[in-house]
């Protein structure tokens, strides 16, 4: 069994979505005075590698704590389609793949290589409306991407979010290490925190092949 960790490391210097706060880990108890060390964390629920719950764009639908565990372990398919700044993943990029109902579709655009660059958060590639509609029609479990958003940086209307989440399809953003996935099909394990009523959560994401 080979495991690839698709998760970004969360630090105070991690890139965050425009308008979101940088995470902070605030020292709380101290070993020398309390006998144990701990910290309090402050961050957006959409920091780093994270899962968007349907309630992120469809308030009447499930929040992150309501996602059944059976959806967090899924058959996944890797779609490799190299994209440049603001370029769209089109329906044609997906239609050649054997995407099945209930699959999690992980889209590798190559954008993760820019994770440390200034334009990582604002010029990322994303799904076209037709591509998102195709995946909704396929009734997939989740759609993940190796960039900060499934919508291109230039798409201020959040087209793909507005199609996928109301169809109860989970969204995974800021995946990394996707180039280390060596098979087209694998098992994806997602571990978002069970945050009551939250619209998303940072998550550990593991590819198992
Ligand atoms: Zn998000």
């Amino acid at each position: 069994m080979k495991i690839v960790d698709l998760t970004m490391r969360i630090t105070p210097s991690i890139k965050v979505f425009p308008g979101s706060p940088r995470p902070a880990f605030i020292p709380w108890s101290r070993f020398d005075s309390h006998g144990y060390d701990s910290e309090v964390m402050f961050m957006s629920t959409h920091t780093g590698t994270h899962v968007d719950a349907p309630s992120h764009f469809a308030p009447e639908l499930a929040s992150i704590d309501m996602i059944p565990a059976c959806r967090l372990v899924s058959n996944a398919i890797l779609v490799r389609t190299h994209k440049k700044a603001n370029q769209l993943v089109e329906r044609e990029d997906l239609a050649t793949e054997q995407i099945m109902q209930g699959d999690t579709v992980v889209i590798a655009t190559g954008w993760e290589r820019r994770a440390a660059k200034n334009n990582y958060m604002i010029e990322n590639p994303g799904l076209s409306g037709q591509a998102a509609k195709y995946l909704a029609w396929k009734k997939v479990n989740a759609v993940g991407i190796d960039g900060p958003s499934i919508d291109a940086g230039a798409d201020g209307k959040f087209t793909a979010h507005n199609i996928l989440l109301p169809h109860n399809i989970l969204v995974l953003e800021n995946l990394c290490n996707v180039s280390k996935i060596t098979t087209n099909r694998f098992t994806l394990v997602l571990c978002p925190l069970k945050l009551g009523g939250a619209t998303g959560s940072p998550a550990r994401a593991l590819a198992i092949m």
Side-chain angles (χ1 to χ4, degrees):
M1 183 171 72
K2 180 182 171 190
I3 301 174
V4 178
D5 191 342
L6 308 179
T7 319
M8 283 186 177
R9 184 165 179 260
I10 298 177
T11 69
S13 61
I14 195 172
K15 292 262 189 299
V16 293
F17 201 72
S20 284
R22 287 193 182 282
F25 302 119
I26 304 151
W28 197 250
S29 66
R30 291 173 56 101
F31 185 78
D32 50 9
S33 50
H34 299 88
Y36 55 92
D37 267 336
S38 69
E39 52 289 316
V40 166
M41 60 183 181
F42 170 80
M43 68 171 96
S44 162
T45 51
H46 298 260
T47 300
T49 304
H50 68 276
V51 179
D52 284 355
S55 68
H56 191 31
F57 276 71
E60 71 284 6
L61 296 186
S63 49
I64 196 72
D65 52 311
M66 292 163 64
I67 307 302
C70 61
R71 293 193 61 188
L72 301 178
V73 180
S74 57
N75 293 320
I77 181 167
L78 182 69
V79 177
R80 291 187 185 84
T81 174
H82 191 84
K83 297 292 173 186
K84 297 182 190 135
N86 280 316
Q87 213 179 355
L88 293 177
V89 177
E90 302 286 357
R91 185 187 189 284
E92 292 71 32
D93 296 318
L94 306 170
T96 53
E97 309 286 340
Q98 295 288 314
I99 296 170
M100 318 275 277
Q101 182 174 344
D103 276 351
T104 291
V105 180
V106 172
I107 301 169
T109 65
W111 192 251
E112 70 164 287
R113 287 198 292 275
R114 303 200 60 84
K117 306 279 193 214
N118 284 336
N119 68 344
Y120 174 74
M121 280 282 168
I122 50 177
E123 293 184 349
N124 57 285
L127 270 64
S128 73
Q130 290 303 320
K133 282 180 189 161
Y134 176 73
L135 293 173
W137 173 71
K138 281 278 182 180
K139 295 189 166 62
V140 299
N141 175 59
V143 181
I145 198 162
D146 60 343
S149 175
I150 48 154
D151 282 302
D155 183 358
K157 293 182 179 161
F158 303 110
T159 304
H161 279 90
N162 275 306
I163 293 167
L164 296 174
L165 293 170
H167 279 89
N168 197 29
I169 295 168
L170 305 176
V171 169
L172 325 171
E173 293 165 332
N174 287 319
L175 294 173
C176 62
N177 295 326
V178 293
S179 63
K180 294 180 182 160
I181 300 172
T182 50
T183 55
N184 284 348
R185 285 203 157 265
F186 56 97
T187 300
L188 184 73
V189 177
L190 296 170
C191 299
L193 297 180
K194 210 166 182 175
L195 304 172
T199 57
S201 170
R204 202 74 186 240
L206 303 172
I208 302 172
M209 61 215 74

